[in-house]
Amino acid sequence: MIINSKTKIVGILGYPVEHSLSPAIFNYVFEKLNLNWCYLPFPFPSTHKISYFLECFKELNFVGLNVTMPYKEVVVPFLDEVSAFARIAEAVNVIHLQDGALIGYNTDGRGFIDSLKEVGVRAEGKTVMVLGAGGAARAVVLSLAMEGAKRIVLANRTRERGEKLAAVLRSRFPKVEALVVDLSAEAKPYLAEADILVNATPVGMDGISKPLDEEVLTALPASSLVYDMIYSPLETPLLKWAKDTGRKSLNGLPMLLLQAQGSFQVWEGSEIELKLLREAAEAALKGI
Ligand code: NAD
């Protein structure tokens, strides 16, 4: 890859970002497609200086950004425009600098729903328990409601944040039953009725922890799907538990690739083939 004055710069804003596969995936794709683009990690530690970061990004005339933890919600007030879905979700995972304006989008929700469809699962009529109420959870929960989920149970560490998300759900999607429970034994009876369990917290990225105790998890029906949005590691302790107990499981990699496809669509208006994105992810995971 030759970097010159015409190279289009995109990247990922978050803190930390070492765990992200996106730089390796995108740079692999750019090289294969012979595009003069470069994808950089932007680990930015100072939440209170995020407007300064975005102003500099604008001045440098870069093309766009992916946004990850903990900035998906933080960046929203500092953007010039925000897509309708990202505004409702109050979370942005893609930014495009277009004609001097920073425009925010959210491709997480679509990526999540499409990854479910890839394994033949539809959200319509389903009961889903979602752990977490951060940027990713918000997009996922709204997309589930848009797809006609019957009941969404929100379990978050801070109950207040869960209640806030439930209130958005109830006002926008009155047909969907939205409930909030504690991330504890209180979740058990609701888990017993869940068709899908989604982990949208970072718990499990350490390769050791599970977001719910095994004693609580056992309530989950044997036919349910366990979806962990984490992709590093590919098999979290929660997914290992699901596999060991004969439940269906899905990690966050398909969603990552689908939201990456959506991001490039926003920046360039054209599609990267999923086959190439998968090949890039395989290479990134092998450290090539
Ligand atoms: P965020 O910081 O916005 O939200 C994190 C949520 O997890 C919050 O609700 C927080 O209360 C909860 N949480 C954090 N630590 C916890 C703990 N120790 N115990 C219980 N709850 C805890 O982050 P986000 O952007 O929403 O990302 C959440 C996870 O989803 C991350 O692991 C991220 O990598 C993953 N993710 C994956 C994809 C993908 O494409 N596969 C996309 C987006 C996010």
Side-chain angles (χ1 to χ4, degrees):
M1 183 191 294
I2 295 166
I3 306 226
N4 57 29
S5 55
K6 295 206 174 81
T7 304
K8 293 190 178 182
I9 309 282
V10 282
I12 182 159
L13 164 67
Y15 196 76
V17 291
E18 295 98 78
H19 68 277
S20 176
L21 283 183
S22 297
I25 290 176
F26 273 106
N27 287 322
Y28 181 97
V29 167
F30 295 157
E31 197 154 344
K32 286 277 166 182
L33 296 177
N34 213 7
L35 295 176
N36 190 3
W37 286 54
C38 178
Y39 191 105
L40 300 172
F42 293 112
F44 192 74
S46 321
T47 311
H48 62 286
K49 285 194 191 160
I50 204 71
S51 62
Y52 169 69
F53 174 89
L54 292 170
E55 277 308 313
C56 293
F57 192 84
K58 234 184 202 181
E59 288 300 317
L60 288 161
N61 206 21
F62 290 162
V63 172
L65 280 174
N66 282 128
V67 184
T68 188
M69 282 191 307
Y71 291 124
K72 285 184 182 179
E73 291 159 271
V74 177
V75 295
V76 175
F78 304 108
L79 302 176
D80 299 298
E81 267 178 62
V82 176
S83 76
F85 181 81
R87 182 153 307 283
I88 305 171
E90 289 175 37
V92 155
N93 74 310
V94 188
I95 297 175
H96 187 202
L97 178 60
Q98 208 176 12
D99 304 324
L102 291 172
I103 309 176
Y105 299 86
N106 192 307
T107 61
D108 276 340
R110 192 69 263 153
F112 174 79
I113 295 294
D114 288 348
S115 67
L116 280 183
K117 286 182 183 161
E118 273 191 346
V119 292
V121 176
R122 297 203 166 257
E124 198 181 344
K126 298 281 185 338
T127 292
V128 188
M129 180 177 283
V130 178
L131 311 179
R138 295 181 69 86
V140 160
V141 159
L142 291 170
S143 301
L144 283 166
M146 283 163 84
E147 291 291 305
K150 185 177 82 179
R151 179 195 255 194
I152 299 175
V153 185
L154 302 167
N156 193 44
R157 193 169 45 170
T158 350
R159 197 173 177 116
E160 199 189 333
R161 235 173 151 196
E163 294 286 3
K164 210 176 137 214
L165 181 50
V168 176
L169 266 183
R170 289 183 196 118
S171 71
R172 299 262 171 186
F173 303 94
K175 282 192 189 147
V176 180
E177 194 186 343
L179 300 168
V180 182
V181 297
D182 280 340
L183 199 56
S184 64
E186 200 195 341
K188 202 171 175 181
Y190 298 94
L191 204 55
E193 291 177 9
D195 299 299
I196 307 171
L197 170 68
V198 182
N199 179 31
T201 77
V203 183
M205 286 178 85
D206 59 3
I208 302 166
S209 334
K210 286 193 216 62
L212 287 171
D213 288 344
E214 255 181 52
E215 198 274 315
V216 176
L217 282 170
T218 46
L220 195 66
S223 59
S224 59
L225 169 72
V226 180
Y227 191 128
D228 201 326
M229 286 178 48
I230 294 170
Y231 59 82
S232 174
L234 285 174
E235 188 177 78
T236 59
L238 175 66
L239 292 184
K240 182 168 184 329
W241 172 85
K243 205 171 82 184
D244 290 349
T245 59
R247 290 167 175 85
K248 287 173 278 177
S249 62
L250 190 57
N251 65 32
L253 192 59
M255 174 173 167
L256 177 77
L257 301 184
L258 287 157
Q259 72 76 29
Q261 193 183 41
S263 302
F264 192 72
Q265 179 86 46
V266 166
W267 298 325
E268 184 62 353
S270 59
E271 203 157 85
I272 301 171
E273 273 184 57
L274 266 182
K275 196 169 150 255
L276 180 57
L277 283 164
R278 274 194 209 105
E279 183 187 307
E282 265 168 41
L285 287 164
K286 282 187 199 143
I288 298 171

